[in-house]
Amino acid sequence: MARLPIVEYPDPRLKKVARPVHVFDARLRQLVADMAETMYAAPGIGLAATQVDVHERVIVIDVSETKDQLRVFINPEILWASEETTLCEEGCLSVPGIYEEVRRPARVGVKAQNEDGETFTLECDGMLAVCVQHEMDHLAGKVFVEYLSALKQDRIKTKLKKRKAREAA
Ligand code: K2U
Ligand code: ZN
């Protein structure tokens, strides 16, 4: 297993649209294992392949308190979304130190494949619904800060660029 480097906003690689997975082999299983290790080590509750500069439709999520309930979504698609919405404070491993509220559908129905290529469906609510939508945005090349005002986005870009410059000095 290996911890993978996480691409940070506003890196243009986070804008790339992930392509579908067609081959369910040992390479894919290794990617999933490395993504899970990277997520748990961060620590985070979700991670999309886009964030580790692999542009394939793969997501790992673990919203459990005990951190032992890993969910793997390959080629995920949202089948339906509730009209009811929730406002949740979101963070992102690609946007360190930034937490902002985002409004999303409270419940979503997801169809995906597991590491063996078997198709499943899952009704998601609570934090799982928020995280699935957040990660699927990543696969579409979208970062959660894009839901914020242009002013807030500019301030976040400036803050992160200054932090990177300080770290490089
Ligand atoms: O995409 C990511 O970097 C994963 C996020 C998952 C997340 C999505 C929506 C709302 C909260 C988190 C990271 O896990 S951010 C770190 C984190 C962990 C627990 C709670 C909040 C933020
Ligand atoms: Zn994120």
Side-chain angles (χ1 to χ4, degrees):
M1 296 238 275
R3 288 186 199 180
L4 304 172
I6 294 176
V7 179
E8 291 194 357
Y9 180 84
D11 191 306
R13 289 173 291 176
L14 292 173
K15 288 188 170 297
K16 293 177 75 171
V17 175
R19 58 186 179 277
V21 170
H22 296 295
V23 179
F24 292 77
D25 58 3
R27 180 205 65 91
L28 178 63
R29 283 189 290 277
Q30 185 62 58
L31 171 62
V32 167
D34 291 349
M35 285 177 63
E37 181 180 354
T38 303
M39 176 188 71
Y40 287 123
I45 59 174
L47 190 70
T50 306
Q51 293 176 274
V52 291
D53 200 19
V54 174
H55 301 285
E56 299 180 48
R57 294 185 64 74
V58 181
I59 292 171
V60 295
I61 292 176
D62 188 343
V63 294
S64 70
E65 290 293 323
T66 49
K67 297 298 161 207
D68 59 359
Q69 293 173 38
L70 182 68
R71 294 178 184 276
V72 180
F73 299 84
I74 296 166
N75 299 327
E77 54 187 278
I78 290 180
L79 297 175
W80 54 266
S82 63
E83 283 193 16
E84 181 196 355
T85 63
T86 55
L87 193 58
C88 178
E89 185 177 73
E90 300 192 12
C92 182
L93 298 175
S94 293
V95 194
I98 303 295
Y99 298 89
E100 292 284 350
E101 288 189 330
V102 177
R103 182 169 294 280
R104 297 183 188 269
R107 290 178 309 286
V108 290
V110 178
K111 177 181 173 185
Q113 290 168 275
N114 63 21
E115 290 175 90
D116 298 321
E118 297 161 341
T119 299
F120 65 92
T121 58
L122 185 67
E123 180 165 334
C124 305
D125 61 4
M127 200 64 200
L128 180 58
V130 173
C131 201
V132 160
Q133 294 174 83
H134 176 113
E135 304 311 334
M136 287 187 67
D137 274 350
H138 276 301
L139 299 182
K142 186 168 185 174
V143 180
F144 85 104
V145 296
E146 294 171 45
Y147 291 98
L148 309 177
S149 68
L151 178 62
K152 274 196 171 183
Q153 289 183 57
D154 286 345
R155 285 175 174 166
I156 290 167
K157 282 177 185 172
T158 302
K159 180 179 179 181
L160 293 179
K161 283 178 180 173
K162 282 181 178 175
R163 180 188 300 168
K164 265 196 182 302
R166 277 199 312 273
E167 290 166 355

